[in-house]
Amino acid sequence: MKKQLLKQALSLGMAAALLVGCSGGSTGGDTTDGGNENQTQQTDGGSDAGEITVGVSMPTKDLQRWNQDGANMQAELEAAGYKVDLQYASNDVQQQLSQIENMINNEVDVLVIAAIEGSSLGEALNNAKTAGIPVIAYDRLLMNSDAVSYYATFDNYMVGEVQGQYIIDQLDLDNAEGPFNLEITAGDPGDNNAMFFYNGAMNLLKPYIESGKLVIQSGQQEFEDVATAVWATETAQSRAENILSSYYADGTNVDVWLCSNDSTALGVENALAANYNGEYPIVTGQDCDIENTKNMIANPPKQSMSVFKDTRTLASQVVKMVSQIVNGETVDVNDTDTYNNGVITVPSYLCEPVFADASNYKELLIDSGYYTEDQLK
């Protein structure tokens, strides 16, 4: 009965979200104060939040950001009074599929899924839909399924734009004579976000590439040529070493290396340390991982910037969306046009990213409580 009520609430909430669209920005009802243990959130069926279980599926513990995302999500949900089944899948698609199936069999009330590979969970998503379990795709869009209720993420295209604009500004491309040498390391082809990151940056940089102000000595520019499976540091390092030995061993400088995230940037930085003697390039990243932030604030710096996506903000938004779903309220979305998963356009909430570098990291990362100073020593 509870699942049927949730299913009805979800249908009403999605209809309202689609009517609202992007025109009004964030919309929807308020959540109750999750910090008060004596307060409970009521569903339409009269169940309090303590009777609601949220299944949270995270891809891996191997990357710092997913550990933080999982911990933030669990803390926020439990503070709001929900039970939480948090699972990590060790970057194994079959393991994630099995974990989600177990959550469905255990009758969780809402699923939050950060997919390893967005197109590989169709069977589990169909089972969730049949069971009347709403599904929120978390930071990675779930592809090729109509069982995805909502998508919560950062503005992934803007992440790439932030990186591209940083490069334009740092090289003063509109005024400098150039040419400057550029190399590119993009993300996982199985992660729908990777193409948004790549396109956001490249659409800003493309005019400078076409004019010859930015030159890609390796010739590796298309996404399929610069992608990095599972965002692996080792894979990014191996490819960067090959590029450096093939095109920069004669003393040619690489002026900028566009890296889509911090794990790939770390691979490039390792390769530069071992195989490069020229002037150190601008290196971009994303996620403000601890090791990368240390590299960013080192003297001299080994990484120039990283796009900061405060996962606490994203976790809070997802908890709010969960509460809105189970209470039958209009669910907050601010984009109903962009994220088509091949079957449906998924109502989405996009949080805004910003860049961090040595000039502002203290304000963004330490003063906000995201890290302590000791963590960055």
Side-chain angles (χ1 to χ4, degrees), residues 339-369:
Y339 289 94
N340 187 292
N341 74 354
V343 177
I344 60 172
T345 300
V346 183
S348 305
Y349 191 95
L350 310 181
C351 300
E352 185 171 328
V354 296
F355 81 83
D357 64 8
S359 71
N360 66 358
Y361 82 95
K362 290 193 69 174
E363 177 185 354
L364 287 177
L365 303 178
I366 295 178
D367 295 349
S368 71

Side-chain angles (χ1 to χ4, degrees), residues 67-310:
N67 289 312
Q68 291 179 186
D69 283 53
N72 290 337
M73 183 79 59
Q74 183 169 22
E76 291 259 5
L77 287 166
E78 290 179 346
Y82 300 111
K83 297 177 182 177
V84 180
D85 182 1
L86 171 63
Q87 301 281 336
Y88 291 87
S90 302
N91 260 337
D92 184 321
V93 172
Q94 288 305 312
Q95 183 174 338
Q96 185 168 47
L97 185 61
S98 176
Q99 289 173 343
I100 294 170
E101 291 284 10
N102 287 336
M103 292 178 187
I104 295 168
N105 292 336
N106 292 332
E107 299 186 333
V108 298
D109 297 281
V110 181
L111 276 167
V112 180
I113 301 173
I116 298 168
E117 205 286 313
S119 299
S120 299
L121 300 175
E123 181 181 351
L125 296 177
N126 289 338
N127 292 338
K129 182 179 179 180
T130 299
I133 300 173
V135 175
I136 299 174
Y138 183 87
D139 204 40
R140 291 177 173 176
L141 186 59
L142 295 163
M143 304 299 291
N144 304 319
S145 174
D146 65 355
V148 187
S149 310
Y150 297 100
Y151 180 36
T153 188
F154 288 84
D155 189 326
N156 297 311
Y157 190 85
M158 186 183 291
V159 169
E161 288 184 315
V162 169
Q163 294 172 334
Q165 190 61 53
Y166 187 90
I167 291 169
I168 291 168
D169 292 343
Q170 292 300 306
L171 292 179
D172 192 20
L173 290 180
D174 291 326
N175 299 302
E177 183 176 351
F180 301 99
N181 290 324
L182 164 72
E183 297 296 338
I184 304 164
T185 298
D188 180 13
D191 181 349
N192 185 66
N193 290 349
M195 185 61 81
F196 281 96
F197 303 146
Y198 170 84
N199 284 337
M202 291 301 289
N203 285 349
L204 288 182
L205 298 177
K206 188 176 180 180
Y208 302 100
I209 296 171
E210 291 178 342
S211 71
K213 190 166 284 189
L214 287 176
V215 177
I216 302 173
Q217 294 290 340
S218 70
Q220 298 174 25
Q221 177 178 339
E222 299 304 316
F223 179 78
E224 57 267 25
D225 296 323
V226 300
T228 308
V230 298
W231 303 93
T233 296
E234 297 79 8
T235 303
Q237 179 174 342
S238 177
R239 177 172 166 268
E241 288 172 348
N242 288 334
I243 289 173
L244 290 170
S245 63
S246 298
Y247 301 99
Y248 297 94
D250 62 355
T252 300
N253 284 328
V254 54
D255 298 293
V256 57
W257 208 303
L258 170 65
C259 299
S260 286
N261 86 324
D262 279 354
S263 60
T264 57
L266 192 59
V268 169
E269 288 153 30
N270 291 341
L272 288 167
N275 298 277
Y276 179 68
N277 295 314
E279 294 182 13
Y280 202 84
I282 295 167
V283 179
T284 68
Q286 173 189 180
D287 292 328
C288 289
D289 287 349
I290 287 177
E291 287 306 310
N292 297 77
T293 303
K294 288 180 179 179
N295 283 349
M296 196 167 63
I297 62 179
N299 187 18
K302 300 176 183 178
Q303 182 167 324
S304 306
M305 62 85 76
S306 184
V307 178
F308 179 48
K309 304 187 304 186
D310 192 337

